[in-house]
């Protein structure tokens, strides 16, 4: 089975849940994408932020984790749901 482009896989995953932060997204996609060189938190955060800028995701909250690092949560927008239904065959 051929893998989706990473950003598309992130959007597809976000359509299946209510909200997630970058660590949760990476955990969910690790079995498929974990061996790729670009499987890095900063790149996955960039995917989430880019999907937000394009109107496919929205920030749904944030908090500081146990290490004092900011964790931003995202949820899929209506436009994101339409794009998944239209362009991603499941």
């Amino acid at each position: 089975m051929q893998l989706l482009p990473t950003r598309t896989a992130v959007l597809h995953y976000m359509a299946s849940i209510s909200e997630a932060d970058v660590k949760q997204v990476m955990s969910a996609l690790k079995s498929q994408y974990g061996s790729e060189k670009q499987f890095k938190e900063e790149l996955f955060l960039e995917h989430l932020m880019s999907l937000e800028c394009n109107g496919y995701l929205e920030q749904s909250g944030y908090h500081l984790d146990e290490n004092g690092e900011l964790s931003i949560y995202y949820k899929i927008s209506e436009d994101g749901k339409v794009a998944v239904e239209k362009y991603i065959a499941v």
Side-chain angles (χ1 to χ4, degrees), residues 1-5 9 32-33 36 88-89:
M1 182 170 124
Q2 189 173 14
L3 291 176
L4 294 171
Q32 295 175 306
Y33 296 88
E36 293 188 6
I88 303 174

Side-chain angles (χ1 to χ4, degrees), residues 3 29-39:
L3 291 176
L29 298 178
K30 187 173 184 172
S31 65
Q32 295 175 306
Y33 296 88
S35 62
E36 293 188 6
K37 288 182 180 181
Q38 295 189 10
F39 192 76

Side-chain angles (χ1 to χ4, degrees), residues 18-48:
S18 60
E19 70 175 8
D21 69 359
V22 68
K23 291 179 183 175
Q24 292 168 324
V25 171
M26 290 182 72
S27 177
L29 298 178
K30 187 173 184 172
S31 65
Q32 295 175 306
Y33 296 88
S35 62
E36 293 188 6
K37 288 182 180 181
Q38 295 189 10
F39 192 76
K40 297 177 183 174
E41 189 171 325
E42 59 270 9
L43 293 174
F44 272 73
L45 183 56
E46 186 177 310
H47 291 319
L48 290 167

Side-chain angles (χ1 to χ4, degrees), residues 34-86:
S35 62
E36 293 188 6
K37 288 182 180 181
Q38 295 189 10
F39 192 76
K40 297 177 183 174
E41 189 171 325
E42 59 270 9
L43 293 174
F44 272 73
L45 183 56
E46 186 177 310
H47 291 319
L48 290 167
M49 292 187 317
S50 176
L51 288 165
E52 179 190 13
C53 286
N54 287 297
Y56 296 130
L57 297 180
E58 301 169 349
Q59 283 189 23
S60 60
Y62 59 90
H63 78 275
L64 292 177
D65 68 13
E66 60 276 352
N67 298 321
E69 293 182 27
L70 181 63
S71 185
I72 303 170
Y73 287 84
Y74 295 90
K75 65 179 182 179
I76 195 161
S77 68
E78 288 304 314
D79 286 345
K81 290 176 186 177
V82 170
V84 168
E85 290 175 12
K86 187 173 182 179

